[in-house]
């Protein structure tokens, strides 16, 4: 067997990513909790319930796994509805809990990246129309200022908004794409349907991001602020079909490029210039899961422009047809993002795989794709695997298991998966070598280390 080692840069950040509503439990005061309690919204009418019990002792328990895996970073979100339970009222006990969490991370050398908005809204804000109206922008800005003032001695790396595109598609384009996989299928609150509405929501999210970006920099001199942007690799189903290429290109523009153009060039809907939005990314956060093939479809006006997603025969998919395992997509998107000149964090990357038979291979191939990009001078600063412990996967409930650690939500029992051991070895040694590949994914040795 050939000997070879892929080294990662010194100071590289290794961690996992989580979101408040998916892990904390008993988040009773937000729109997601209300949404879950309506029959038919979540697969099998499952509930987040206690989730991973992070509001109890689950956070402390999960951090032991992060420490065991030698993580030196972790991305988590704070819950607006806990910090500001009623409009203009602040809960100091909630802030203290987050301070205790960040302090524990710091004690273990785990650098926090804190997300201010990860899909959930306080009930009072969603009752006011949520992100459908620009009225939410100053409210979000005030919350961001409050949060950063309260936590700035413990954190200087911030994500304003998680996946503005995913939020708009999930909440405002219900069933636009019934044959597609993953997020496009997931109905999220408020479960509305309208293309114009979805665009308004993206506009307001990006204005909220810009307002928070400037507020955070006013509150903290050394802050680094960005968005966690979900990008998918859209490809034509039939590569020689002009129509398939056209619809794949449209999806790419609307899902991927729209958000980049907003935060980098200060343009809403590609044309409307907003000065305060220009260059509001100190880094690009990339959430990468999969590629999607798109096929032209003349059914409705929207489908004519956007086509629909198709699974190619013979494609290896993760659990529940969530997505194709396609590591090369990560490399290609990183190369594309390198053109922005911004540092990049991979803020999410993972797959649902309850029996952990694909995850070891997923990890090795995706980390190798990232390594290749770094070797071509793409400034990737860190990698946050989605996710640490199995958690409440939105509309999919507990059906999809993304954790490096397995969780029984009823008993709160945890068990490290083999892929967690693998990830721990990579994080500890800051490299991948042939013996590691041989140990965890012998089937990859010949392709990764030929000769
Ligand atoms: C992303 C979300 C995250 C999680 C993963 C699987 O789109 O940001 O909360 O649900 O998908």
């Amino acid at each position: 067997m050939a000997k070879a080692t892929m080294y990662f840069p010194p100071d590289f950040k290794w961690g996992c990513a989580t979101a408040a509503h998916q892990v904390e439990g008993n988040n009773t005061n937000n729109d997601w909790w209300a949404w879950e309690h309506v029959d038919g919204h979540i697969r099998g009418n499952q509930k987040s319930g206690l989730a991973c019990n992070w509001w109890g002792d689950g956070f402390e328990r999960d951090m032991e796994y992060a420490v065991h895996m030698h993580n030196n970073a972790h991305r988590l979100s704070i819950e607006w509805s806990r910090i500001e339970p009623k409009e203009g009222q602040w809960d100091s006990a909630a802030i203290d809990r987050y301070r205790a969490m960040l302090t524990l991370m710091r004690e273990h050398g785990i650098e926090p990246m804190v997300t201010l908005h990860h899909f959930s809204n306080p009930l009072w804000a969603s009752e006011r129309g949520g992100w459908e109206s620009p009225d939410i922008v100053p409210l979000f800005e005030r919350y961001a200022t409050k949060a950063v003032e309260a936590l700035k001695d413990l954190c200087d790396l911030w994500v304003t908004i998680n996946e503005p595109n995913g939020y708009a598609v999930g909440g405002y384009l219900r069933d636009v794409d019934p044959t597609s996989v993953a997020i496009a299928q997931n109905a999220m609150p408020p479960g509305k349907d309208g293309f114009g509405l979805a665009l308004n929501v993206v506009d307001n999210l990006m204005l909220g991001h810009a307002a928070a970006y400037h507020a955070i920099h006013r509150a903290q001199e050394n802050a680094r602020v960005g968005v966690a942007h979900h990008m998918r690799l859209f490809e034509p189903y039939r590569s020689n079909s002009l129509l398939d290429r056209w619809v794949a290109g449209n999806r790419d523009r609307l899902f991927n490029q729209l958000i980049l153009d907003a935060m980098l060039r200060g343009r809403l809907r590609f044309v409307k210039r907003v000065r305060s939005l220009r260059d509001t990314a100190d880094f690009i956060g990339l959430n990468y899961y999969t590629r999607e093939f798109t096929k032209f479809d003349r059914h409705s006006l929207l489908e004519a422009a956007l086509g629909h997603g198709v699974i190619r025969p013979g494609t290896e998919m993760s659990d529940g047809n969530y997505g194709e395992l396609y590591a090369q997509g990560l490399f290609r998107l990183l190369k594309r993002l390198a053109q922005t000149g911004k540092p990049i964090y991979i803020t999410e990357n993972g797959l649902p795989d309850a029996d952990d038979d694909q995850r070891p291979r997923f990890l090795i191939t995706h980390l190798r794709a990232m390594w290749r990009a770094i070797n071509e001078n793409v400034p990737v600063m860190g990698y946050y695997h989605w996710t640490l412990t199995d958690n409440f996967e939105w509309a999919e409930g507990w059906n999809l298991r993304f954790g490096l650690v397995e969780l029984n939500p009823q008993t709160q029992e945890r068990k490290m998966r083999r892929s967690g051991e693998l990830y721990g070895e990579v994080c500890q040694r800051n490299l991948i070598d042939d013996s590691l590949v041989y140990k965890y994914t012998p089937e990859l040795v010949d392709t990764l280390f030929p000769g």
Side-chain angles (χ1 to χ4, degrees), residues 309-340:
V310 192
I311 299 173
R312 276 223 255 189
T315 302
E316 184 182 4
M317 302 293 287
S318 55
D319 288 0
N321 277 343
Y322 184 82
E324 178 191 1
L325 277 70
Y326 185 61
Q328 178 73 1
L330 180 59
F331 176 80
R332 291 167 65 185
L333 289 172
L334 287 172
K335 291 287 281 186
R336 170 168 167 187
L337 288 176
Q339 292 164 17
T340 66

mmCIF file of all heavy atoms in Angstrom, residues 309-340:
data_model
loop_
_atom_site.group_PDB
_atom_site.id
_atom_site.type_symbol
_atom_site.label_atom_id
_atom_site.label_comp_id
_atom_site.label_asym_id
_atom_site.label_seq_id
_atom_site.Cartn_x
_atom_site.Cartn_y
_atom_site.Cartn_z
ATOM 1 N N GLY A 309 -36.438 18.478 -9.736
ATOM 2 C CA GLY A 309 -35.275 17.675 -9.373
ATOM 3 C C GLY A 309 -35.536 16.208 -9.662
ATOM 4 O O GLY A 309 -36.643 15.714 -9.439
ATOM 5 N N VAL A 310 -34.525 15.534 -10.172
ATOM 6 C CA VAL A 310 -34.671 14.123 -10.506
ATOM 7 C C VAL A 310 -33.484 13.366 -9.916
ATOM 8 O O VAL A 310 -32.357 13.852 -9.937
ATOM 9 C CB VAL A 310 -34.614 13.908 -12.040
ATOM 10 C CG1 VAL A 310 -35.053 12.508 -12.395
ATOM 11 C CG2 VAL A 310 -35.448 14.934 -12.762
ATOM 12 N N ILE A 311 -33.777 12.174 -9.417
ATOM 13 C CA ILE A 311 -32.680 11.316 -8.952
ATOM 14 C C ILE A 311 -32.242 10.453 -10.128
ATOM 15 O O ILE A 311 -33.057 9.764 -10.746
ATOM 16 C CB ILE A 311 -33.142 10.433 -7.781
ATOM 17 C CG1 ILE A 311 -33.574 11.322 -6.605
ATOM 18 C CG2 ILE A 311 -32.015 9.478 -7.363
ATOM 19 C CD1 ILE A 311 -34.204 10.559 -5.456
ATOM 20 N N ARG A 312 -30.980 10.505 -10.465
ATOM 21 C CA ARG A 312 -30.478 9.689 -11.583
ATOM 22 C C ARG A 312 -30.420 8.219 -11.188
ATOM 23 O O ARG A 312 -29.964 7.911 -10.077
ATOM 24 C CB ARG A 312 -29.060 10.143 -11.922
ATOM 25 C CG ARG A 312 -29.088 11.317 -12.847
ATOM 26 C CD ARG A 312 -28.029 11.104 -13.911
ATOM 27 N NE ARG A 312 -26.907 11.952 -13.625
ATOM 28 C CZ ARG A 312 -25.890 12.128 -14.458
ATOM 29 N NH1 ARG A 312 -25.820 11.518 -15.596
ATOM 30 N NH2 ARG A 312 -24.912 12.919 -14.151
ATOM 31 N N PRO A 313 -30.813 7.342 -12.067
ATOM 32 C CA PRO A 313 -30.728 5.922 -11.733
ATOM 33 C C PRO A 313 -29.290 5.553 -11.381
ATOM 34 O O PRO A 313 -28.353 6.045 -12.005
ATOM 35 C CB PRO A 313 -31.162 5.211 -13.022
ATOM 36 C CG PRO A 313 -31.738 6.259 -13.909
ATOM 37 C CD PRO A 313 -31.278 7.595 -13.429
ATOM 38 N N GLY A 314 -29.145 4.717 -10.373
ATOM 39 C CA GLY A 314 -27.809 4.253 -10.007
ATOM 40 C C GLY A 314 -27.048 5.188 -9.083
ATOM 41 O O GLY A 314 -25.921 4.897 -8.699
ATOM 42 N N THR A 315 -27.658 6.300 -8.714
ATOM 43 C CA THR A 315 -26.985 7.252 -7.826
ATOM 44 C C THR A 315 -26.991 6.733 -6.395
ATOM 45 O O THR A 315 -28.015 6.233 -5.933
ATOM 46 C CB THR A 315 -27.754 8.592 -7.854
ATOM 47 O OG1 THR A 315 -27.789 9.046 -9.197
ATOM 48 C CG2 THR A 315 -27.105 9.627 -6.982
ATOM 49 N N GLU A 316 -25.889 6.890 -5.692
ATOM 50 C CA GLU A 316 -25.899 6.499 -4.274
ATOM 51 C C GLU A 316 -26.505 7.622 -3.433
ATOM 52 O O GLU A 316 -25.980 8.729 -3.386
ATOM 53 C CB GLU A 316 -24.488 6.191 -3.757
ATOM 54 C CG GLU A 316 -24.573 5.688 -2.317
ATOM 55 C CD GLU A 316 -23.238 5.392 -1.661
ATOM 56 O OE1 GLU A 316 -22.184 5.638 -2.285
ATOM 57 O OE2 GLU A 316 -23.273 4.917 -0.507
ATOM 58 N N MET A 317 -27.618 7.311 -2.779
ATOM 59 C CA MET A 317 -28.324 8.309 -1.977
ATOM 60 C C MET A 317 -28.163 7.988 -0.487
ATOM 61 O O MET A 317 -28.002 6.828 -0.102
ATOM 62 C CB MET A 317 -29.821 8.299 -2.321
ATOM 63 C CG MET A 317 -30.148 8.554 -3.779
ATOM 64 S SD MET A 317 -29.760 10.233 -4.337
ATOM 65 C CE MET A 317 -31.069 11.176 -3.538
ATOM 66 N N SER A 318 -28.282 9.038 0.337
ATOM 67 C CA SER A 318 -28.279 8.814 1.788
ATOM 68 C C SER A 318 -29.694 8.442 2.245
ATOM 69 O O SER A 318 -30.625 8.396 1.436
ATOM 70 C CB SER A 318 -27.765 10.065 2.506
ATOM 71 O OG SER A 318 -28.514 11.188 2.119
ATOM 72 N N ASP A 319 -29.870 8.211 3.531
ATOM 73 C CA ASP A 319 -31.173 7.763 4.063
ATOM 74 C C ASP A 319 -32.307 8.675 3.586
ATOM 75 O O ASP A 319 -32.158 9.901 3.525
ATOM 76 C CB ASP A 319 -31.166 7.818 5.608
ATOM 77 C CG ASP A 319 -30.294 6.730 6.207
ATOM 78 O OD1 ASP A 319 -29.703 5.932 5.454
ATOM 79 O OD2 ASP A 319 -30.211 6.685 7.456
ATOM 80 N N GLY A 320 -33.451 8.067 3.314
ATOM 81 C CA GLY A 320 -34.641 8.828 2.948
ATOM 82 C C GLY A 320 -34.481 9.592 1.644
ATOM 83 O O GLY A 320 -35.178 10.574 1.409
ATOM 84 N N ASN A 321 -33.548 9.160 0.801
ATOM 85 C CA ASN A 321 -33.247 9.890 -0.446
ATOM 86 C C ASN A 321 -32.929 11.357 -0.180
ATOM 87 O O ASN A 321 -33.241 12.243 -0.982
ATOM 88 C CB ASN A 321 -34.421 9.819 -1.437
ATOM 89 C CG ASN A 321 -34.358 8.525 -2.225
ATOM 90 O OD1 ASN A 321 -33.313 7.866 -2.264
ATOM 91 N ND2 ASN A 321 -35.471 8.172 -2.845
ATOM 92 N N TYR A 322 -32.311 11.622 0.947
ATOM 93 C CA TYR A 322 -32.006 13.007 1.314
ATOM 94 C C TYR A 322 -31.101 13.679 0.281
ATOM 95 O O TYR A 322 -31.286 14.829 -0.087
ATOM 96 C CB TYR A 322 -31.346 13.055 2.689
ATOM 97 C CG TYR A 322 -31.084 14.456 3.167
ATOM 98 C CD1 TYR A 322 -32.092 15.204 3.765
ATOM 99 C CD2 TYR A 322 -29.834 15.055 2.998
ATOM 100 C CE1 TYR A 322 -31.872 16.499 4.187
ATOM 101 C CE2 TYR A 322 -29.599 16.352 3.422
ATOM 102 C CZ TYR A 322 -30.620 17.059 4.011
ATOM 103 O OH TYR A 322 -30.388 18.349 4.420
ATOM 104 N N GLY A 323 -30.111 12.946 -0.169
ATOM 105 C CA GLY A 323 -29.228 13.551 -1.166
ATOM 106 C C GLY A 323 -28.202 12.556 -1.682
ATOM 107 O O GLY A 323 -27.901 11.554 -1.023
ATOM 108 N N GLU A 324 -27.692 12.878 -2.857
ATOM 109 C CA GLU A 324 -26.627 12.067 -3.434
ATOM 110 C C GLU A 324 -25.330 12.294 -2.658
ATOM 111 O O GLU A 324 -25.049 13.403 -2.208
ATOM 112 C CB GLU A 324 -26.411 12.496 -4.900
ATOM 113 C CG GLU A 324 -25.284 11.743 -5.591
ATOM 114 C CD GLU A 324 -24.896 12.349 -6.943
ATOM 115 O OE1 GLU A 324 -25.482 13.364 -7.360
ATOM 116 O OE2 GLU A 324 -23.969 11.801 -7.575
ATOM 117 N N LEU A 325 -24.542 11.232 -2.515
ATOM 118 C CA LEU A 325 -23.208 11.406 -1.929
ATOM 119 C C LEU A 325 -22.296 11.884 -3.047
ATOM 120 O O LEU A 325 -21.971 11.115 -3.966
ATOM 121 C CB LEU A 325 -22.676 10.074 -1.373
ATOM 122 C CG LEU A 325 -23.152 9.679 0.034
ATOM 123 C CD1 LEU A 325 -24.617 9.304 0.023
ATOM 124 C CD2 LEU A 325 -22.317 8.526 0.580
ATOM 125 N N TYR A 326 -21.906 13.140 -2.990
ATOM 126 C CA TYR A 326 -21.141 13.699 -4.105
ATOM 127 C C TYR A 326 -20.085 14.678 -3.578
ATOM 128 O O TYR A 326 -20.309 15.891 -3.478
ATOM 129 C CB TYR A 326 -22.099 14.383 -5.099
ATOM 130 C CG TYR A 326 -21.398 14.891 -6.338
ATOM 131 C CD1 TYR A 326 -20.734 14.018 -7.193
ATOM 132 C CD2 TYR A 326 -21.373 16.257 -6.636
ATOM 133 C CE1 TYR A 326 -20.065 14.483 -8.316
ATOM 134 C CE2 TYR A 326 -20.715 16.731 -7.762
ATOM 135 C CZ TYR A 326 -20.070 15.840 -8.591
ATOM 136 O OH TYR A 326 -19.405 16.294 -9.709
ATOM 137 N N ALA A 327 -18.928 14.131 -3.236
ATOM 138 C CA ALA A 327 -17.877 14.933 -2.605
ATOM 139 C C ALA A 327 -17.277 15.963 -3.559
ATOM 140 O O ALA A 327 -16.894 17.060 -3.151
ATOM 141 C CB ALA A 327 -16.775 14.010 -2.072
ATOM 142 N N GLN A 328 -17.234 15.610 -4.822
ATOM 143 C CA GLN A 328 -16.657 16.514 -5.816
ATOM 144 C C GLN A 328 -17.400 17.861 -5.845
ATOM 145 O O GLN A 328 -16.829 18.898 -6.158
ATOM 146 C CB GLN A 328 -16.719 15.813 -7.184
ATOM 147 C CG GLN A 328 -16.219 16.592 -8.362
ATOM 148 C CD GLN A 328 -14.696 16.723 -8.376
ATOM 149 O OE1 GLN A 328 -14.011 16.200 -7.489
ATOM 150 N NE2 GLN A 328 -14.177 17.439 -9.358
ATOM 151 N N GLY A 329 -18.685 17.807 -5.466
ATOM 152 C CA GLY A 329 -19.479 19.044 -5.426
ATOM 153 C C GLY A 329 -18.906 20.033 -4.429
ATOM 154 O O GLY A 329 -18.933 21.255 -4.644
ATOM 155 N N LEU A 330 -18.372 19.518 -3.327
ATOM 156 C CA LEU A 330 -17.780 20.410 -2.331
ATOM 157 C C LEU A 330 -16.557 21.101 -2.929
ATOM 158 O O LEU A 330 -16.395 22.321 -2.807
ATOM 159 C CB LEU A 330 -17.399 19.606 -1.076
ATOM 160 C CG LEU A 330 -16.765 20.397 0.060
ATOM 161 C CD1 LEU A 330 -17.685 21.512 0.541
ATOM 162 C CD2 LEU A 330 -16.406 19.479 1.234
ATOM 163 N N PHE A 331 -15.720 20.327 -3.604
ATOM 164 C CA PHE A 331 -14.539 20.903 -4.253
ATOM 165 C C PHE A 331 -14.949 21.981 -5.257
ATOM 166 O O PHE A 331 -14.424 23.099 -5.259
ATOM 167 C CB PHE A 331 -13.754 19.790 -4.955
ATOM 168 C CG PHE A 331 -12.578 20.282 -5.740
ATOM 169 C CD1 PHE A 331 -11.388 20.588 -5.096
ATOM 170 C CD2 PHE A 331 -12.660 20.455 -7.117
ATOM 171 C CE1 PHE A 331 -10.289 21.055 -5.822
ATOM 172 C CE2 PHE A 331 -11.572 20.929 -7.844
ATOM 173 C CZ PHE A 331 -10.382 21.228 -7.188
ATOM 174 N N ARG A 332 -15.929 21.668 -6.074
ATOM 175 C CA ARG A 332 -16.331 22.614 -7.125
ATOM 176 C C ARG A 332 -16.917 23.902 -6.540
ATOM 177 O O ARG A 332 -16.637 25.005 -7.030
ATOM 178 C CB ARG A 332 -17.336 21.936 -8.064
ATOM 179 C CG ARG A 332 -16.668 20.832 -8.886
ATOM 180 C CD ARG A 332 -17.676 19.951 -9.581
ATOM 181 N NE ARG A 332 -18.457 20.665 -10.579
ATOM 182 C CZ ARG A 332 -19.467 20.124 -11.257
ATOM 183 N NH1 ARG A 332 -19.815 18.855 -11.036
ATOM 184 N NH2 ARG A 332 -20.143 20.824 -12.145
ATOM 185 N N LEU A 333 -17.705 23.764 -5.481
ATOM 186 C CA LEU A 333 -18.281 24.979 -4.885
ATOM 187 C C LEU A 333 -17.209 25.793 -4.164
ATOM 188 O O LEU A 333 -17.225 27.025 -4.187
ATOM 189 C CB LEU A 333 -19.436 24.618 -3.948
ATOM 190 C CG LEU A 333 -20.693 24.121 -4.673
ATOM 191 C CD1 LEU A 333 -21.726 23.598 -3.683
ATOM 192 C CD2 LEU A 333 -21.317 25.225 -5.542
ATOM 193 N N LEU A 334 -16.254 25.117 -3.546
ATOM 194 C CA LEU A 334 -15.171 25.853 -2.883
ATOM 195 C C LEU A 334 -14.360 26.642 -3.905
ATOM 196 O O LEU A 334 -13.999 27.801 -3.676
ATOM 197 C CB LEU A 334 -14.269 24.891 -2.093
ATOM 198 C CG LEU A 334 -14.866 24.333 -0.799
ATOM 199 C CD1 LEU A 334 -13.965 23.248 -0.207
ATOM 200 C CD2 LEU A 334 -15.102 25.447 0.230
ATOM 201 N N LYS A 335 -14.093 26.024 -5.058
ATOM 202 C CA LYS A 335 -13.349 26.736 -6.104
ATOM 203 C C LYS A 335 -14.137 27.969 -6.569
ATOM 204 O O LYS A 335 -13.578 29.029 -6.818
ATOM 205 C CB LYS A 335 -13.097 25.800 -7.295
ATOM 206 C CG LYS A 335 -12.128 24.689 -7.010
ATOM 207 C CD LYS A 335 -10.698 25.165 -6.926
ATOM 208 C CE LYS A 335 -10.125 25.379 -8.315
ATOM 209 N NZ LYS A 335 -8.677 25.709 -8.235
ATOM 210 N N ARG A 336 -15.429 27.789 -6.692
ATOM 211 C CA ARG A 336 -16.261 28.927 -7.115
ATOM 212 C C ARG A 336 -16.231 30.042 -6.070
ATOM 213 O O ARG A 336 -16.084 31.221 -6.401
ATOM 214 C CB ARG A 336 -17.688 28.428 -7.329
ATOM 215 C CG ARG A 336 -18.722 29.522 -7.535
ATOM 216 C CD ARG A 336 -20.004 28.882 -8.018
ATOM 217 N NE ARG A 336 -21.146 29.776 -7.955
ATOM 218 C CZ ARG A 336 -22.395 29.390 -8.210
ATOM 219 N NH1 ARG A 336 -22.656 28.138 -8.541
ATOM 220 N NH2 ARG A 336 -23.383 30.254 -8.144
ATOM 221 N N LEU A 337 -16.324 29.656 -4.796
ATOM 222 C CA LEU A 337 -16.345 30.673 -3.737
ATOM 223 C C LEU A 337 -14.992 31.357 -3.581
ATOM 224 O O LEU A 337 -14.918 32.494 -3.108
ATOM 225 C CB LEU A 337 -16.776 30.042 -2.408
ATOM 226 C CG LEU A 337 -18.256 29.667 -2.325
ATOM 227 C CD1 LEU A 337 -18.551 28.955 -1.006
ATOM 228 C CD2 LEU A 337 -19.153 30.905 -2.461
ATOM 229 N N ALA A 338 -13.921 30.664 -3.976
ATOM 230 C CA ALA A 338 -12.589 31.266 -3.855
ATOM 231 C C ALA A 338 -12.525 32.567 -4.655
ATOM 232 O O ALA A 338 -11.793 33.494 -4.307
ATOM 233 C CB ALA A 338 -11.531 30.291 -4.342
ATOM 234 N N GLN A 339 -13.326 32.637 -5.708
ATOM 235 C CA GLN A 339 -13.310 33.850 -6.534
ATOM 236 C C GLN A 339 -13.816 35.081 -5.791
ATOM 237 O O GLN A 339 -13.610 36.200 -6.225
ATOM 238 C CB GLN A 339 -14.151 33.629 -7.798
ATOM 239 C CG GLN A 339 -13.509 32.627 -8.730
ATOM 240 C CD GLN A 339 -14.494 32.117 -9.765
ATOM 241 O OE1 GLN A 339 -15.543 32.708 -9.990
ATOM 242 N NE2 GLN A 339 -14.169 30.998 -10.388
ATOM 243 N N THR A 340 -14.500 34.874 -4.673
ATOM 244 C CA THR A 340 -14.980 36.035 -3.908
ATOM 245 C C THR A 340 -13.843 36.677 -3.125
ATOM 246 O O THR A 340 -13.983 37.800 -2.638
ATOM 247 C CB THR A 340 -16.069 35.620 -2.887
ATOM 248 O OG1 THR A 340 -15.466 34.765 -1.886
ATOM 249 C CG2 THR A 340 -17.224 34.871 -3.545
#
